[in-house]
Amino acid sequence: GRNCAASFHRRWGYTPEASICRWKRCLRVGRQQGTLLGESRYLEVRYEALTGDPESELRKVCRFLEVEYLDSMLESTRSGKRARGLSSAKIRPNDRSYADYFSEGRCESLERIAGATLSEFGYNTRYPDSDEEPPEAKMRFWLFRDRIRVAASTVVSKLSTESQFSWGLLIRKLIRDLRHARFKDN
């Protein structure tokens, strides 16, 4: 959850507290639905386990899906790795990068929101019983602000790549997105 919040913040500027709220809800609903499906139709895979020991985890997933494991599954197909000059396209571990990314205070805030869920899913946390829900008005503000940031990012990227940019199109898209979401966490 904390790594998810860090990733969404780093990539899109999303508010970490809103991201961890979404993470917490998604995992709880996923596990609830998985329980209804039963062990033969539901498998949980931890991202840290997948990036920490990809071969073992992918073999487990392949057995579950009853498909053949191939060594080529360990190679990334993302062109970005080559563009950034990384020496290997192998899957790399991603564990606890949130601790380097966020301040101690921000980590504490995230754990107070999702500590119980973090603990339930096997993650260490200083607040294993904490399950704070931010006030709805604060969540709406965070989600609104996040959507504005994404729209601003779109404007900047479009302005740098296109000589003629349609402000009207962008405004209509933002209004449509906001109406569709109604400032709720979907």
Side-chain angles (χ1 to χ4, degrees):
R2 295 162 293 198
N3 275 332
C4 176
S7 179
F8 277 58
H9 185 263
R10 186 173 36 249
R11 182 160 179 123
W12 296 293
Y14 286 0
T15 305
E17 289 80 3
S19 294
I20 205 163
C21 284
R22 285 189 297 262
W23 174 86
K24 165 173 86 166
R25 290 179 194 139
C26 287
L27 264 66
R28 286 183 175 168
V29 168
R31 183 169 271 180
Q32 182 181 42
Q33 292 175 350
T35 301
L36 294 173
L37 289 171
E39 290 181 16
S40 66
R41 296 180 59 203
Y42 176 75
L43 174 71
E44 283 185 7
V45 178
R46 286 179 55 151
Y47 181 71
E48 294 81 5
L50 180 62
T51 60
D53 187 4
E55 182 175 348
S56 174
E57 289 298 305
L58 286 172
R59 286 183 184 279
K60 181 170 51 171
V61 170
C62 287
R63 277 192 303 279
F64 178 80
L65 296 173
E66 299 176 350
V67 298
E68 179 185 1
Y69 167 82
L70 302 170
D71 284 332
S72 61
M73 292 176 176
L74 296 174
E75 295 292 326
S76 174
T77 59
R78 293 180 57 195
S79 60
K81 290 195 178 287
R82 287 187 296 278
R84 291 191 310 265
L86 296 175
S87 60
S88 172
K90 293 276 187 198
I91 297 170
R92 296 178 300 147
N94 183 12
D95 190 19
R96 288 195 46 85
S97 63
Y98 73 89
D100 296 328
Y101 185 76
F102 290 132
S103 69
E104 186 66 25
R106 176 61 60 82
C107 287
E108 183 175 321
S109 172
L110 296 174
E111 289 184 22
R112 287 188 182 280
I113 291 171
T117 305
L118 288 163
S119 181
E120 177 185 341
F121 282 84
Y123 296 100
N124 291 326
T125 176
R126 292 166 287 189
Y127 304 98
D129 299 322
S130 187
D131 192 27
E132 293 179 4
E133 283 292 327
E136 187 172 336
K138 189 176 264 190
M139 277 297 294
R140 285 182 178 196
F141 170 73
W142 288 336
L143 295 171
F144 175 74
R145 184 178 62 189
D146 291 349
R147 286 183 175 93
I148 294 296
R149 284 182 181 152
V150 169
S153 170
T154 301
V155 168
V156 169
S157 92
K158 291 288 186 181
L159 286 175
S160 65
T161 59
E162 295 180 15
S163 59
Q164 291 186 339
F165 178 75
S166 170
W167 284 97
L169 182 63
L170 177 68
I171 299 298
R172 284 192 300 276
K173 180 189 180 322
L174 178 60
I175 290 170
R176 186 191 72 229
D177 288 350
L178 292 173
R179 280 186 185 149
H180 174 71
R182 292 184 185 85
F183 304 110
K184 295 230 187 242
D185 183 19
N186 297 345

